[in-house]
């Protein structure tokens, strides 16, 4: 008989791991759950009924007040390096993995509530989230997905009717996050640091079954998984850089081995291009600045490699050599991915020698003249078929002539493509967004939501679902901030 009261068909692979992998704990009910949003397309992709999720029972479930049948709520254990400092015990301190469901492709997807109450890993935290970070994660994770960048997703957001105390009392909220998996580099570190060889083996098998089944057939599965994560992270970070995304808190506990973007704490997209750009209020040293992200990814991968050593080879010298060779692929991998991402952004279908230089010179030009990153590539998209003298790109400069020399080189190179202007423009249009989640718009949406007005939040999400289209009705979201609107910091006070 169809179970209309429970649309979830759980298949909880993580809960089948030994009990030391997690703490079994349920969300703590909240007084007055209220629906903010259900992501209807994602619900359908997960074989869930969006109408049910938006119903009274659905909202109770999304708030953690009602545990659906088949759920096995748990908080995952992990460790990690936070800003380079080793922390042996982190874990989900305010999140509950309620279970895993199969999507329309048959892939397992985690359903996790975030902000759903304390767990044994909460340390001094309250286990809650306030509305601001919940809306930020909803907006940015869905925008990342729409931009074609692997990311955890947002299935729903609800208010709790309860206050959360940060510096002041703020409205509480819960996000329902969907991920291909929540195993982080820090999860491997957790077992490695405890000398738990069996734990490491079981974790590797879990990750392999779920994300890298082909690694299981290789002669050295641990090394094959490491190689896959090295490649996946190189591609991911290159894509971040291609849209001006700054993660902000690339600690090893925030790096997914499934290579999705995860944890949207103090993240932001930059407006004006600057390699050293940092938004996070707690990143004083600029450790996670925009252009440092590939180096940090490599540092994080080295921590993963270390944790996998015992599984790579019983002979520690041999294991170290193999692991080092694996992570040493990262810089070239990353450069290759980055050049391909950037080449498309300037209309080049294939990379030739000298193209890296053109890309590098463009970025230097943007930085020197403080040009809006998103507008620059969108203007180049429009310029690609035009004659000299009517360039929208040059108009972004205080002195348009400053763009002339680079434009000449670029046009000359485009002329060698042989793909035709229409194809070039189509290529550029498909990778250069008109709309990104600009920080000032997110902040205004949050501010208005705190006053009970969610219209801007919904409109911003709608605009970001089709980021490559120019839609006049959403032109306010395509605009760069006026000087008085610029938001320079994002707060981790999540
Ligand atoms: P994050 O900076 O969000 O990656 O969180 C780092 C660690 O702190 C994780 O173990 C979180 O679960 C935990 N944490 C963050 N905020 C809270 C909170 N309000 N209550 C309990 N634990 C938290
Ligand atoms: Mg985290």
């Amino acid at each position: 008989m169809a179970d209309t009261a429970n649309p979830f068909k759980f298949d909880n692979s993580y809960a089948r791991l030994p009990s030391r992998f997690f703490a079994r704990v349920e969300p703590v009910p909240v007084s007055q759950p209220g629906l903010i949003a259900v992501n209807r397309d994602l619900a359908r992709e997960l074989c869930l009924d969006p109408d049910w999720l938006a119903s009274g029972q659905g909202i109770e479930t999304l708030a953690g007040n009602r545990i659906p049948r088949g759920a096995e709520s748990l908080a995952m254990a992990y460790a990690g390096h936070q800003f380079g400092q080793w922390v042996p015990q982190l874990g989900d301190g305010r999140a509950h993995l309620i279970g895993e469901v199969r999507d329309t492709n048959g892939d397992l997807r985690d359903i996790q509530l975030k902000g759903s109450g304390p767990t044994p890993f909460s340390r001094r935290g309250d286990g809650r989230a306030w509305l601001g970070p919940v809306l930020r994660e909803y907006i940015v994770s869905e925008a990342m997905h729409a931009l074609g960048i692997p990311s955890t997703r947002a299935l729903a957001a609800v208010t709790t009717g309860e206050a959360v105390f940060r510096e002041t009392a703020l409205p509480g909220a819960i996000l329902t996050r969907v991920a291909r998996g929540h195993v982080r580099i820090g999860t491997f570190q957790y077992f490695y640091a405890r000398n738990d060889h069996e734990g490491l083996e079981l974790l590797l098998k879990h990750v392999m079954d779920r994300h890298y089944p082909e690694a299981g057939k290789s002669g050295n599965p641990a090394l094959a998984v490491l190689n896959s994560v090295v490649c996946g992270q190189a591609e991911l970070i290159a894509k971040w850089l291609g849209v001006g995304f700054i993660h902000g808190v690339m600690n090893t506990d925030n790096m997914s081995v499934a290579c999705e973007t995860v944890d949207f704490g103090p993240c932001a997209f930059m407006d004006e291009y600057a390699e050293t750009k940092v938004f996070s209020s707690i990143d004083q040293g600029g450790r996670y600045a925009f252009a440092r992200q590939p180096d940090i990814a490599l540092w994080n991968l080295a921590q993963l490699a270390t944790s996998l050593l015992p599984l790579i080879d019983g002979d520690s010298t041999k294991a170290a050599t193999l692991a080092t060779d694996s992570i040493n692929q990262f810089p070239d991998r990353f450069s290759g991915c980055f050049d391909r991402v950037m080449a498309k952004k300037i209309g080049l279908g294939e990379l030739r020698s000298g193209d890296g230089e053109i890309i590098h010179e463009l970025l230097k030009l943007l930085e020197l003249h403080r040009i809006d990153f998103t507008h620059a590539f969108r203007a180049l998209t429009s310029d690609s078929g035009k004659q000299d003298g009517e360039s929208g790109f040059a108009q972004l400069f205080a002195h348009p002539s400053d763009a002339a020399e680079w434009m000449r080189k670029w046009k000359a190179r485009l002329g060698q493509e042989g793909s035709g202007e229409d194809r070039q423009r189509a290529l550029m249009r498909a990778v250069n967004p008109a709309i990104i989640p600009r920080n000032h718009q997110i902040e205004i949406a949050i501010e208005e939501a705190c006053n009970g007005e969610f219209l801007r939040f919904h409109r911003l999400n709608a605009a970001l679902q089709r980021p490559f289209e120019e839609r006049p009705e959403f032109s306010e979201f395509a605009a760069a901030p006026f000087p008085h609107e610029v938001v320079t910091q994002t707060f981790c006070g999540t």
Side-chain angles (χ1 to χ4, degrees), residues 384-395:
S384 60
K386 284 189 199 157
Q387 297 308 311
D388 290 346
E390 43 180 285
S391 160
F393 177 69
Q395 292 307 317

PDB file of all heavy atoms in Angstrom, residues 384-395:
ATOM      1  N   SER A 384      32.286  39.978 -28.885  1.00  0.00           N
ATOM      2  CA  SER A 384      33.050  39.007 -29.662  1.00  0.00           C
ATOM      3  C   SER A 384      32.806  39.126 -31.169  1.00  0.00           C
ATOM      4  O   SER A 384      33.694  38.855 -31.954  1.00  0.00           O
ATOM      5  CB  SER A 384      32.782  37.582 -29.176  1.00  0.00           C
ATOM      6  OG  SER A 384      31.418  37.278 -29.293  1.00  0.00           O
ATOM      7  N   GLY A 385      31.610  39.551 -31.561  1.00  0.00           N
ATOM      8  CA  GLY A 385      31.366  39.648 -32.995  1.00  0.00           C
ATOM      9  C   GLY A 385      31.454  41.063 -33.556  1.00  0.00           C
ATOM     10  O   GLY A 385      31.296  41.279 -34.738  1.00  0.00           O
ATOM     11  N   LYS A 386      31.718  42.032 -32.662  1.00  0.00           N
ATOM     12  CA  LYS A 386      31.667  43.437 -33.099  1.00  0.00           C
ATOM     13  C   LYS A 386      32.986  43.910 -33.681  1.00  0.00           C
ATOM     14  O   LYS A 386      34.040  43.371 -33.400  1.00  0.00           O
ATOM     15  CB  LYS A 386      31.341  44.320 -31.900  1.00  0.00           C
ATOM     16  CG  LYS A 386      29.908  44.282 -31.469  1.00  0.00           C
ATOM     17  CD  LYS A 386      29.692  45.375 -30.428  1.00  0.00           C
ATOM     18  CE  LYS A 386      28.449  45.146 -29.598  1.00  0.00           C
ATOM     19  NZ  LYS A 386      28.566  45.847 -28.320  1.00  0.00           N
ATOM     20  N   GLN A 387      32.880  45.017 -34.445  1.00  0.00           N
ATOM     21  CA  GLN A 387      34.083  45.683 -34.945  1.00  0.00           C
ATOM     22  C   GLN A 387      34.677  46.536 -33.828  1.00  0.00           C
ATOM     23  O   GLN A 387      34.015  46.812 -32.834  1.00  0.00           O
ATOM     24  CB  GLN A 387      33.735  46.584 -36.136  1.00  0.00           C
ATOM     25  CG  GLN A 387      33.185  45.814 -37.327  1.00  0.00           C
ATOM     26  CD  GLN A 387      34.085  44.647 -37.734  1.00  0.00           C
ATOM     27  OE1 GLN A 387      35.279  44.811 -37.887  1.00  0.00           O
ATOM     28  NE2 GLN A 387      33.501  43.456 -37.870  1.00  0.00           N
ATOM     29  N   ASP A 388      35.934  46.938 -34.013  1.00  0.00           N
ATOM     30  CA  ASP A 388      36.582  47.814 -33.035  1.00  0.00           C
ATOM     31  C   ASP A 388      35.787  49.105 -32.890  1.00  0.00           C
ATOM     32  O   ASP A 388      35.052  49.515 -33.771  1.00  0.00           O
ATOM     33  CB  ASP A 388      38.009  48.155 -33.498  1.00  0.00           C
ATOM     34  CG  ASP A 388      38.905  46.925 -33.399  1.00  0.00           C
ATOM     35  OD1 ASP A 388      38.481  45.951 -32.746  1.00  0.00           O
ATOM     36  OD2 ASP A 388      39.992  46.940 -33.993  1.00  0.00           O
ATOM     37  N   GLY A 389      35.978  49.747 -31.753  1.00  0.00           N
ATOM     38  CA  GLY A 389      35.414  51.078 -31.574  1.00  0.00           C
ATOM     39  C   GLY A 389      34.074  51.101 -30.880  1.00  0.00           C
ATOM     40  O   GLY A 389      33.627  52.131 -30.423  1.00  0.00           O
ATOM     41  N   GLU A 390      33.425  49.932 -30.789  1.00  0.00           N
ATOM     42  CA  GLU A 390      32.127  49.936 -30.116  1.00  0.00           C
ATOM     43  C   GLU A 390      32.109  48.873 -29.014  1.00  0.00           C
ATOM     44  O   GLU A 390      31.147  48.157 -28.823  1.00  0.00           O
ATOM     45  CB  GLU A 390      31.000  49.700 -31.128  1.00  0.00           C
ATOM     46  CG  GLU A 390      31.329  48.605 -32.125  1.00  0.00           C
ATOM     47  CD  GLU A 390      30.224  48.367 -33.137  1.00  0.00           C
ATOM     48  OE1 GLU A 390      29.218  47.761 -32.753  1.00  0.00           O
ATOM     49  OE2 GLU A 390      30.388  48.777 -34.292  1.00  0.00           O
ATOM     50  N   SER A 391      33.205  48.801 -28.323  1.00  0.00           N
ATOM     51  CA  SER A 391      33.356  47.744 -27.348  1.00  0.00           C
ATOM     52  C   SER A 391      32.715  48.063 -25.997  1.00  0.00           C
ATOM     53  O   SER A 391      33.048  49.066 -25.362  1.00  0.00           O
ATOM     54  CB  SER A 391      34.847  47.462 -27.133  1.00  0.00           C
ATOM     55  OG  SER A 391      35.036  46.805 -25.903  1.00  0.00           O
ATOM     56  N   GLY A 392      31.811  47.180 -25.557  1.00  0.00           N
ATOM     57  CA  GLY A 392      31.238  47.319 -24.228  1.00  0.00           C
ATOM     58  C   GLY A 392      32.270  47.036 -23.156  1.00  0.00           C
ATOM     59  O   GLY A 392      32.227  47.616 -22.066  1.00  0.00           O
ATOM     60  N   PHE A 393      33.197  46.153 -23.469  1.00  0.00           N
ATOM     61  CA  PHE A 393      34.258  45.819 -22.512  1.00  0.00           C
ATOM     62  C   PHE A 393      35.090  47.063 -22.214  1.00  0.00           C
ATOM     63  O   PHE A 393      35.302  47.417 -21.054  1.00  0.00           O
ATOM     64  CB  PHE A 393      35.136  44.707 -23.086  1.00  0.00           C
ATOM     65  CG  PHE A 393      36.313  44.333 -22.216  1.00  0.00           C
ATOM     66  CD1 PHE A 393      36.129  43.692 -21.005  1.00  0.00           C
ATOM     67  CD2 PHE A 393      37.610  44.627 -22.628  1.00  0.00           C
ATOM     68  CE1 PHE A 393      37.214  43.338 -20.195  1.00  0.00           C
ATOM     69  CE2 PHE A 393      38.710  44.286 -21.829  1.00  0.00           C
ATOM     70  CZ  PHE A 393      38.510  43.634 -20.618  1.00  0.00           C
ATOM     71  N   ALA A 394      35.516  47.750 -23.267  1.00  0.00           N
ATOM     72  CA  ALA A 394      36.345  48.948 -23.071  1.00  0.00           C
ATOM     73  C   ALA A 394      35.589  50.005 -22.268  1.00  0.00           C
ATOM     74  O   ALA A 394      36.184  50.743 -21.482  1.00  0.00           O
ATOM     75  CB  ALA A 394      36.785  49.508 -24.421  1.00  0.00           C
ATOM     76  N   GLN A 395      34.261  50.047 -22.445  1.00  0.00           N
ATOM     77  CA  GLN A 395      33.467  51.050 -21.722  1.00  0.00           C
ATOM     78  C   GLN A 395      33.456  50.814 -20.207  1.00  0.00           C
ATOM     79  O   GLN A 395      33.068  51.691 -19.452  1.00  0.00           O
ATOM     80  CB  GLN A 395      32.019  51.057 -22.249  1.00  0.00           C
ATOM     81  CG  GLN A 395      31.874  51.575 -23.670  1.00  0.00           C
ATOM     82  CD  GLN A 395      32.519  52.940 -23.872  1.00  0.00           C
ATOM     83  OE1 GLN A 395      32.396  53.843 -23.036  1.00  0.00           O
ATOM     84  NE2 GLN A 395      33.263  53.093 -24.968  1.00  0.00           N
TER      85      GLN A 395
END
